[in-house]
Amino acid sequence: MNAPASNAIDTVKLLIDGQWQGSQSAEWRDVLNPATQQVLARVPFATLAEVDAAVAAARRAFKTWRLTPLGARMRIMLKLQALIREHSPRIAKILSAEQGKTLADAEGDIFRGLEVVEHACSIGSLQMGEFAENVAGAVDTYTLHQPLGVCAGITPFNFPAMIPLWMFPMAIVSGNTFVLKPSEQDPLSTVELVKLALEAGVPAGVLNVVHGGKEVVDALCTHKDIKAMSFVGSTAVGTHVYNLAGQHGKRVQAMMGAKNHAVVLPDANRQQTLNALVGAGFGAAGQRCMATSVVVLVGAARQWLPDLKALAQNLKVNAGSEAGTDVGPLISARAKQRVLELIESGVREGATLELDGRDVVVPGFEQGNFIGPTLFSGVTTEMRIYTEEIFGPVLVVLEVDTLDQAIELINRNPYGNGTGLFTQSGAAARKFQSEIDVGQVGINIPIPVPVPFFSFTGSRGSRLGDLGPYGKQVLQFYTQTKTVTARWFDDDSVNDGVNTTINLR
């Protein structure tokens, strides 16, 4: 990675103290269209001095931003959500080009982030404290939810709109300032959303953007002026961020890898279930942390395998920009190679390759990072295609005899992001949701990501930290609860004398 050449290719800017500026870095990376390998832009890996400047700007801005009235912050969010709605089609095209998603999926990416911005518009009620009168003689107690200071966020390549919108709107509307590090693989759509935030009225220094890799991540994790760190991405990086930032005294939330199971009982609605499994397994080329990557067929439901294969076989693989596309390219050639190696490991370890997407060729996009829908049966829990998160359009099928066995299988898996049960039995659904040890459960829903009124609740190996990235939990994450206990005296108050006990009277 070298400094950018003097040609027509755009360079991605840093946002520091309200100004978009070029980087002095000597290290740059190409932002590639994964369907064509066309260079869309070049992104800098910010210098440590630039990271320091961004944090310093956020620290200065916090002094006045924290005192900005709730109503003023709320109105900025109202303006932001209107701007996102207006510009969503335009940003979706940018997102599709740099990430590879279909246009419809790109618009969905933006919309799921927009929902969090809409929730941020309720900050007036979300940030209210509690009050109790006369907890002791003429003593009242109340709580305040006060902002922490400078916060930071590190976002992944697979949702360059949704995940940044999970982070900075709730952080800044709560009175904090923010330093955002988007994925270096597809930062363009994130930058467009940040531009809208500035247009909506976010003051200089309240929101800053730096780009980069591990050096920038580590600089944010260890910076003395950053109070909280939010991360979404791979398990390896998430664990590193959680440990490093935690060691440096920060609050940390890290949403990480997954192996999401869908359990199918024989009484489930057949066509609706098959449609859901194929859509959740192969949509976004399988590059969702909440993608269904394992299907567990219970009892007679194992007879559904041919129908599952036939439906997956009919999906259209093409560039995300092309009409009718179901499965777009993977984000990079490196990601494609990793998925190909995992498919080969499945064949080598004895799984049955029902549907092979390795040799797919898309006319007009021969250089794209494409892998077609791939389906394995006869999978065991010792195989790499089961134990590792593939993050590609690969669906693996296991078979068990009973619901109890399916629950036991899922609870043995180290991940706990999401799971689903397909059935028409209320009793089975209630048993499943009660006994399953996974944070987010869907009943006849394959991707059970809750709306922002509720909290994202991935668990076990899919999450480090106590509080989720949106909903009620995120306000707790981005604020410090202060409890005030007060007594007021008038001139005629009775003198109670000296009290040397811990009791209020």
Side-chain angles (χ1 to χ4, degrees):
M1 291 180 288
N2 302 311
S6 56
N7 53 33
I9 297 174
D10 289 337
T11 56
V12 185
K13 301 296 192 293
L14 309 174
L15 176 63
I16 300 176
D17 204 14
Q19 300 296 316
W20 294 102
Q21 60 185 60
S23 174
Q24 300 302 308
S25 179
E27 187 176 3
W28 294 70
R29 176 180 179 140
D30 290 340
V31 179
L32 301 177
N33 182 322
T36 65
Q37 309 307 319
Q38 173 194 358
V39 178
L40 302 175
R42 304 207 76 200
V43 61
F45 281 31
T47 66
L48 295 182
E50 289 164 344
V51 174
D52 283 340
V55 176
R59 187 182 66 248
R60 290 191 300 271
F62 178 67
K63 295 176 182 178
T64 53
W65 179 245
R66 70 185 300 271
L67 302 176
T68 302
L70 283 170
R73 289 186 241 147
M74 178 183 68
R75 285 187 285 275
I76 290 173
M77 291 297 116
L78 286 167
K79 178 66 173 175
L80 177 57
Q81 64 87 22
L83 287 170
I84 292 173
R85 286 184 181 278
E86 177 185 351
H87 292 275
S88 179
R90 174 180 64 83
I91 298 175
K93 291 179 181 178
I94 297 171
L95 196 159
S96 176
E98 66 175 344
Q99 203 279 338
K101 292 185 179 186
T102 66
L103 285 172
D105 198 26
E107 290 189 2
D109 187 334
I110 297 167
F111 180 77
R112 290 312 301 265
L114 173 63
E115 290 182 315
V116 176
V117 180
E118 292 171 339
H119 195 226
C121 295
S122 303
I123 190 61
S125 57
L126 294 174
Q127 206 162 347
M128 291 173 64
E130 300 172 309
F131 182 93
E133 183 182 28
N134 214 36
V135 296
V139 175
D140 304 328
T141 298
Y142 53 94
T143 58
L144 309 173
H145 296 295
Q146 297 184 321
L148 301 174
V150 182
C151 302
I154 299 166
T155 62
F157 75 83
N158 59 331
F159 284 98
M162 182 181 77
I163 303 299
L165 292 176
W166 280 10
M167 293 183 184
F168 76 78
M170 287 304 301
I172 66 177
V173 82
S174 303
N176 301 286
T177 55
F178 205 79
V179 179
L180 176 66
K181 194 211 83 69
S183 170
E184 67 278 10
Q185 297 189 78
D186 49 7
L188 303 179
S189 46
T190 306
V191 165
E192 291 301 312
L193 291 167
V194 172
K195 289 178 180 177
L196 296 184
L198 299 186
E199 185 178 343
V202 173
V206 171
L207 177 58
N208 304 271
V209 178
V210 294
H211 306 284
K214 183 178 185 298
E215 186 177 34
V216 172
V217 168
D218 288 356
L220 294 173
C221 288
T222 58
H223 202 290
K224 61 183 178 58
D225 292 323
I226 291 177
K227 305 301 182 184
M229 176 73 66
S230 185
F231 171 88
V232 176
S234 72
T235 298
V237 179
T239 303
H240 171 75
V241 167
Y242 182 81
N243 290 333
L244 185 60
Q247 290 164 8
H248 285 80
K250 306 182 194 327
R251 291 187 182 184
V252 190
Q253 54 177 209
M255 305 297 121
M256 307 185 299
K259 201 70 177 180
N260 304 314
H261 300 67
V263 177
V264 181
L265 298 186
D267 69 339
N269 183 301
R270 191 177 185 118
Q271 195 56 54
Q272 292 289 350
T273 299
L274 292 169
N275 289 342
L277 296 177
V278 171
F282 302 116
Q287 298 175 118
R288 296 172 178 148
C289 65
M290 289 294 291
T292 296
S293 53
V294 181
V295 175
V296 183
L297 299 178
V298 180
R302 52 174 46 97
Q303 300 170 7
W304 295 19
L305 182 61
D307 292 340
L308 183 64
K309 174 181 176 180
L311 195 59
Q313 204 163 14
N314 287 331
L315 296 178
K316 181 179 179 180
V317 181
N318 208 337
S321 58
E322 301 302 296
T325 299
D326 297 306
V327 181
L330 294 168
I331 186 65
S332 67
R334 180 180 178 183
K336 177 181 177 179
Q337 185 57 39
R338 178 181 178 277
V339 174
L340 290 174
E341 290 173 357
L342 281 165
I343 294 172
E344 178 57 34
S345 78
V347 174
R348 189 169 57 249
E349 292 177 358
T352 301
L353 187 56
E354 301 280 352
L355 188 60
D356 188 351
R358 289 176 292 181
D359 296 326
V360 65
V361 176
V362 179
F365 298 95
E366 288 81 5
Q367 301 304 311
N369 308 318
F370 295 101
I371 295 178
T374 299
L375 181 66
F376 278 103
S377 65
V379 177
T380 67
T381 56
E382 294 78 27
M383 296 177 178
R384 284 184 63 201
I385 53 173
Y386 178 77
T387 59
E388 296 185 26
E389 184 178 27
I390 299 175
F391 229 58
V394 181
L395 196 58
V396 304
V397 178
L398 287 77
E399 299 176 1
V400 296
D401 294 326
T402 67
L403 177 58
D404 283 324
Q405 291 174 342
I407 292 171
E408 181 184 1
L409 184 152
I410 296 170
N411 286 347
R412 285 200 310 267
N413 190 279
Y415 291 110
N417 215 25
T419 188
L421 174 70
F422 291 85
T423 182
Q424 295 190 71
S425 167
R430 193 174 190 283
K431 174 183 175 67
F432 185 79
Q433 71 185 35
S434 175
E435 297 181 11
I436 205 71
D437 186 15
V438 173
Q440 296 169 125
V441 180
I443 304 299
N444 298 312
I445 292 177
I447 303 178
V449 179
V451 295
F453 316 126
F454 295 85
S455 298
F456 189 96
T457 52
S459 62
R460 294 195 285 144
S462 296
R463 166 177 165 174
L464 291 172
D466 296 329
L467 299 170
Y470 61 72
K472 294 179 181 178
Q473 290 185 6
V474 80
L475 186 72
Q476 296 175 267
F477 180 76
Y478 283 127
T479 61
Q480 176 65 48
T481 301
K482 181 182 291 184
T483 305
V484 180
T485 303
R487 170 186 279 172
W488 295 98
F489 301 97
D490 57 37
D491 291 340
D492 298 325
S493 298
V494 176
N495 187 345
D496 293 333
V498 176
N499 179 10
T500 61
T501 74
I502 63 171
N503 296 323
L504 290 170
R505 63 187 185 192

